Amino acid sequence: MNRFSYILSTVLLFTLSGDVSQAQGEAAQWHTRYAPAVAQAKAEKKSLILIFTGSEWIEICKTFETDILQQADFLTQVSPKYVVLKLEYPKDNRLPAELAKEYQLLKDAYRVRGFPTVIMTDAEGRPFGMNGYQPVSSDQYAKVLLAMLKGREIRDNAAAKAETATGVEKAIALVESIPDLPGTLGARYYRAAMEGVITNDPKNQTGKVPSYKKQLADVDYSSQMQKLAVDVQYGKMIELTDAYIRDQNLKGELLQKALLNKLDIQQKQQNTAGAVQTLLEVVAVEPNSHFGKSAQKMLDSLRAAKIEEELKP
């Protein structure tokens, strides 16, 4: 079981004690807990819509809520094919402890960075589409989400084809079975398929092998860093980051982002000399990038603080 299947299993365990009677209720309804939503999706062979939102405090979420989600035709249209789960995140995290933990697990599992975020998954939790707010009618928005089911159909048909194919034909089918998802989300939920492409396409005829290798390496780096952070193994985190930079031959802003990870660790170590060296490296990569300018500001601040200290009587 990979880490993200484990997270979703943990969410199910957290919510099994909740009211599962919703799963047997009428189809057109809003769920607020993961386990009842999954139970209904499995029982009725439907997909899920997960809506991550903050309608109490974010204006665009408020608009999304009133103009689309609260309109009766939205739920009426999507409910024959989807079970809908709405996850409200209050500004000050005013949630019961168990619910707060569940919502945080889901937010982490799908790498949600902003609200509103809309994710379509199967009943096993594998995402096949993402969306956000769009300034359209509730009717149009419902049709957009329903159209995304075509992506799941393509995924499933391609995965079935890959089971009986070999070599490059298998790799091509596996590529079609991996949805186009942002960041490393594809690698987190479709790792086996990506590894299958790499194995069956040694000459990179699909054109996807380098990208998949990079995504898998990024996921592994992130996962290992999280484990080391739990044990406060800062030295090993720096070693891992240096190895990641070297092995992936990072350049440009990707290199700067990795170096800033290293900087964060050095700051926790209170390693001022190491932090200054890392900031200089970030600036040297590309001084005019966003990361380069931020690093230069930090260097200027450190220099000013040092001069001020030296001027004290």
Side-chain angles (χ1 to χ4, degrees), residues 22-300:
Q22 289 179 307
Q24 288 94 35
E26 61 183 39
Q29 62 179 297
W30 292 99
H31 284 277
T32 58
R33 301 299 299 268
Y34 188 68
V38 170
Q40 183 182 347
K42 288 182 176 179
E44 300 177 4
K45 294 181 170 53
K46 294 179 180 179
S47 299
L48 288 113
I49 298 173
L50 283 73
I51 300 173
F52 297 81
T53 186
S55 61
E56 291 183 0
W57 56 286
I58 301 174
E59 284 302 320
I60 194 170
C61 292
K62 292 178 184 178
T63 302
F64 189 35
E65 179 76 19
T66 56
D67 291 359
I68 295 176
L69 301 183
Q70 286 184 2
Q71 299 302 311
D73 62 340
F74 171 75
L75 194 57
T76 300
Q77 285 196 67
V78 300
S79 61
K81 298 292 184 179
Y82 286 108
V83 173
V84 186
L85 172 63
K86 184 163 66 172
L87 307 160
E88 280 280 358
Y89 292 79
K91 186 175 184 179
D92 58 1
N93 205 28
R94 291 190 322 273
L95 290 170
E98 184 178 299
L99 190 62
K101 190 162 188 176
E102 175 188 333
Y103 279 23
Q104 186 60 49
L105 283 167
L106 287 166
K107 189 167 174 279
D108 291 344
Y110 293 108
R111 288 304 192 257
V112 173
R113 296 289 181 262
F115 303 129
T117 295
V118 180
I119 300 177
M120 277 59 65
T121 81
D122 56 29
E124 285 68 45
R126 295 184 304 160
F128 59 84
M130 294 188 70
N131 211 318
Y133 169 72
Q134 295 180 18
V136 297
S137 69
S138 55
D139 173 74
Q140 290 172 312
Y141 196 83
K143 285 180 169 58
V144 168
L145 300 192
L146 288 168
M148 287 188 173
L149 288 167
K150 183 66 177 176
R152 174 175 177 169
E153 181 183 347
I154 292 170
R155 180 199 74 175
D156 293 346
N157 290 341
K161 181 179 178 181
E163 288 182 3
T164 57
T166 58
V168 175
E169 290 301 317
K170 184 180 185 73
I172 291 171
L174 286 170
V175 168
E176 292 178 359
S177 76
I178 302 170
D180 184 17
L181 298 166
T184 59
L185 206 55
R188 296 176 187 279
Y189 286 92
Y190 296 90
R191 183 183 191 101
M194 288 189 177
E195 290 175 338
V197 173
I198 294 167
T199 299
N200 289 279
D201 187 17
K203 295 183 179 179
N204 190 30
Q205 290 176 255
T206 60
K208 294 289 188 177
V209 172
S211 171
Y212 288 170
K213 284 183 176 179
K214 176 67 168 56
Q215 288 186 53
L216 292 171
D218 289 351
V219 168
D220 289 342
Y221 168 68
S222 176
S223 178
Q224 292 175 57
M225 287 288 280
Q226 287 176 354
K227 290 177 182 177
L228 291 171
V230 170
D231 297 329
V232 198
Q233 298 189 50
Y234 294 143
K236 289 186 177 180
M237 291 173 74
I238 288 178
E239 290 175 8
L240 180 63
T241 300
D242 286 339
Y244 171 69
I245 290 170
R246 181 185 65 251
D247 295 345
Q248 296 302 310
N249 193 27
L250 298 184
K251 299 184 185 301
E253 292 195 357
L254 290 176
L255 173 56
Q256 288 179 311
K257 287 175 71 174
L259 287 169
L260 289 173
N261 281 345
K262 184 176 177 178
L263 172 68
D264 182 60
I265 302 163
Q266 290 168 327
Q267 290 175 326
K268 289 174 180 174
Q269 290 178 310
Q270 297 184 338
N271 180 2
T272 303
V276 169
Q277 179 59 42
T278 299
L279 286 168
L280 290 169
E281 291 176 26
V282 173
V283 174
V285 172
E286 176 49 68
N288 293 319
S289 72
H290 167 73
F291 300 118
K293 290 178 180 178
S294 294
Q296 187 59 61
K297 285 182 180 179
M298 293 177 72
L299 282 169
D300 293 343

